[in-house]
Amino acid sequence: MSRNVLRHSRAHVFRRTTRQSRRLLSTDPSQQPAPEHTLAAPSKQAHHDSPHSSHPQSPTCRNPLSSPSLSRLSPGPRPLPASSTSKPSPIRYNPNTPTSDFDHSFNTVLSYLPRQFGANQRLTVPDETRKVLEDVVGTFEAPIRYAFAYGSGVFKQSGYEKSASKEPPMLDFIFAVSHPDHWHSINMHQNPSHYPLLARLAGGSLVSRFQNISPGLWFNPYASVNGVTIKYGVTTVESLTSDLLTWRTLYSAGRMHKPVRIIKDDPRIRLTQQVNLASALRASLLMLPEEFTEKQLFEKIAGISYTGDPRMSGAVPMENRNKVANIVEKQSDLFRELYWKLASGIQGVHWQQGSSIVQDNDPKVRVLRLRRLPATLLKAIERHYASQPSYASCSSDEGVFWHKVASDDSLTTVIETEIKQIVRGPATVQSAKSVMTAGFGKSLRYGLAKARKWWGS
């Protein structure tokens, strides 16, 4: 396939995803999406959901899913047009430059999004850590479209101070690629020790097929790169963006609700990640009372991806039971950076940094948040209530149906239950897949390390 065909194909896929994301980010579902070049960073003046919108609601039961804080985007400078013949200039890293003044992932010139769009995703790490992460990703010869690092090896977590003199925590990465079979073939040639013998014999094509099994990732744990022990998961750009938009598995999307360090950026994923963050915020607000603290909000957001995970339930004791509290205790500033500006654009939410948060829990306001939840979760909630005779069917009067759902005192429990159902299946399958993807020896080592965390918590 020629380079021109690949370039036009990628541009077409990006435009399709951008149109879908704009529908999710639009306050008014009837509004037509703006042209690509007008999409800019959110203005400082927040735009709010309004329960008294003059525009009619969508007549169907599908999810309007909009993000008010990102809806009416202010005009911004257009990015410089990329040459159709020249290759992008390589990124130059300067390890001596402080992270507050230089951040390579967001100074990369992207052709489709303004540079400051999604600036809340720009989370800083110490220069030494940043250089290690960039050097690790830079060693892979196979092309990586998007890469981020997460976990206790990147950001501080409570409970790891005791092990400061012992082996440092493993660095966790997720790579999004375009062609997984080709990617694994190249990586097997470069890093054969990262794969078990059976995977090397099967080849990149079969590994890619096994990777596609829900939730769509292949993990290589205990890989040594530049003298650093890492675990990296490989997924496709399509699988990642789908999970970010719809919460199909909440495996990758749930990890990205928490602070992550972006190492290689991609405009399509940056856009859909902004939708994912807004969705996590709305879902958490629906599960919280009228007044609550920042810590309660952050723990609710961080706990979404662990709800229903068998490793946390004790059925398969392989994770620290205090994981959510440990994350939030040391990373509150990072959570605030991710979510504060998004919350300022949601109708009825009053959040002064450092103080308690107050939200309007009137059903007319709650229904706006409810109907903008990701499609997978919203459909599950709809099925739950539609099966009850006391609720009007969606086909008879959609407005009455959702207003009644938003008024239900047990809605919080229903949301938590449905999230648990979404998470449980893919998390269980991925745990089972690890025996094949990592090999028996590494799987046993990884499982024992996780089990020690559970028993020691």
Side-chain angles (χ1 to χ4, degrees):
M1 187 181 292
S2 67
R3 290 185 178 179
N4 286 335
V5 173
L6 280 172
R7 185 182 298 111
H8 291 305
S9 175
R10 288 178 180 176
H12 171 73
V13 172
F14 176 84
R15 286 194 294 269
R16 183 180 61 190
T17 305
T18 302
R19 287 193 296 270
Q20 182 181 2
S21 298
R22 284 207 187 97
R23 286 195 294 271
L24 306 186
L25 297 175
S26 172
T27 299
D28 182 0
S30 66
Q31 264 186 328
Q32 294 297 324
E36 275 79 356
H37 65 263
T38 63
L39 185 61
S43 62
K44 293 183 179 180
Q45 181 179 359
H47 298 281
H48 303 288
D49 289 329
S50 174
H52 308 292
S53 173
S54 59
H55 298 280
Q57 294 292 330
S58 172
T60 67
C61 295
R62 69 177 183 272
N63 177 17
L65 287 177
S66 64
S67 176
S69 62
L70 303 174
S71 56
R72 301 170 185 173
L73 301 173
S74 60
R78 297 185 184 183
L80 295 176
S83 170
S84 60
T85 57
S86 62
K87 296 182 179 180
S89 302
I91 300 170
R92 305 286 184 184
Y93 304 123
N94 182 0
N96 297 321
T97 306
T99 54
S100 58
D101 297 329
F102 178 82
D103 187 325
H104 84 270
S105 64
F106 276 78
N107 279 333
T108 306
V109 177
L110 301 175
S111 303
Y112 301 99
L113 289 177
R115 185 171 300 180
Q116 292 304 312
F117 179 85
N120 55 311
Q121 301 174 32
R122 184 196 312 184
L123 302 180
T124 60
V125 294
D127 285 339
E128 182 180 357
T129 301
R130 175 176 62 83
K131 188 176 187 307
V132 169
L133 300 178
E134 292 166 358
D135 288 347
V136 166
V137 174
T139 63
F140 287 86
E141 296 175 359
I144 299 172
R145 288 276 300 279
Y146 184 86
F148 68 87
Y150 64 100
S152 58
V154 182
F155 300 104
K156 291 181 180 180
Q157 290 185 21
S158 296
Y160 284 89
E161 297 84 352
K162 299 177 183 178
S163 60
S165 61
K166 299 179 182 179
E167 184 179 356
M170 187 163 47
L171 295 179
D172 296 312
F173 296 84
I174 287 183
F175 304 151
V177 304
S178 296
H179 306 287
D181 50 349
H182 182 59
W183 195 95
H184 285 294
S185 297
I186 296 174
N187 197 44
M188 283 182 190
H189 181 75
Q190 180 192 5
N191 301 304
S193 63
H194 294 185
Y195 295 83
L197 176 61
L198 186 59
R200 297 199 298 271
L201 294 175
S205 179
L206 288 179
V207 166
S208 173
R209 292 182 185 181
F210 193 75
Q211 173 188 309
N212 287 339
I213 299 173
S214 179
L217 289 99
W218 175 284
F219 276 99
N220 286 331
Y222 294 106
S224 180
V225 178
N226 291 348
V228 179
T229 302
I230 72 169
K231 178 186 74 176
Y232 61 96
V234 182
T235 186
T236 63
V237 173
E238 288 72 19
S239 178
L240 179 56
T241 53
S242 173
D243 201 31
L244 293 174
L245 287 174
T246 68
W247 287 12
R248 179 174 52 89
T249 70
L250 261 176
Y251 197 91
S252 299
R255 276 152 181 76
M256 296 179 73
H257 291 162
K258 298 177 283 292
V260 302
R261 171 64 186 186
I262 300 171
I263 303 163
K264 296 191 77 171
D265 201 5
D266 178 88
R268 183 178 169 191
I269 298 176
R270 192 199 297 187
L271 178 62
T272 51
Q273 166 63 351
Q274 200 74 339
V275 176
N276 180 45
L277 294 174
S279 297
L281 181 58
R282 288 199 186 92
S284 299
L285 289 172
L286 287 168
M287 293 185 285
L288 288 166
E290 185 173 349
E291 185 172 355
F292 50 92
T293 64
E294 288 184 347
K295 181 180 179 182
Q296 288 176 302
L297 174 63
F298 300 155
E299 288 185 348
K300 187 64 69 175
I301 292 172
I304 288 175
S305 63
Y306 293 113
T307 303
D309 191 329
R311 299 175 304 167
M312 298 289 290
S313 65
V316 184
M318 291 178 60
E319 190 54 270
N320 190 322
R321 286 172 286 186
N322 300 317
K323 184 76 170 180
V324 172
N326 291 345
I327 291 173
V328 171
E329 184 175 346
K330 294 292 186 179
Q331 299 178 28
S332 292
D333 290 343
L334 299 173
F335 275 95
R336 192 177 298 110
E337 178 69 21
L338 281 173
Y339 292 103
W340 183 73
K341 288 185 179 179
L342 289 175
S344 67
I346 294 182
Q347 170 77 9
V349 176
H350 306 282
W351 180 0
Q352 296 294 328
Q353 293 193 35
S355 63
S356 61
I357 306 169
V358 179
Q359 65 169 328
D360 185 353
N361 271 342
D362 185 278
K364 291 182 179 179
V365 177
R366 284 170 63 83
V367 74
L368 294 172
R369 299 169 196 161
L370 175 63
R371 299 191 65 186
R372 288 168 174 83
L373 292 176
T376 303
L377 177 58
L378 187 67
K379 289 177 181 177
I381 295 171
E382 180 184 349
R383 284 195 301 268
H384 172 85
Y385 282 99
S387 64
Q388 300 181 21
S390 59
Y391 284 81
S393 67
C394 185
S395 57
S396 62
D397 195 328
E398 183 183 0
V400 171
F401 174 83
W402 286 113
H403 187 275
K404 191 172 182 179
V405 171
S407 305
D408 184 21
D409 293 335
S410 64
L411 177 61
T412 295
T413 304
V414 173
I415 294 175
E416 290 175 346
T417 301
E418 298 303 336
I419 289 176
K420 185 182 297 184
Q421 293 297 325
I422 294 172
V423 171
R424 180 184 289 117
T428 304
V429 171
Q430 187 60 48
S431 296
K433 283 170 61 179
S434 65
V435 178
M436 176 66 71
T437 62
F440 179 77
K442 288 183 178 179
S443 295
L444 181 62
R445 179 184 175 188
Y446 185 76
L448 290 174
K450 288 291 187 179
R452 282 195 294 270
K453 290 182 180 180
W454 192 88
W455 290 106
S457 61

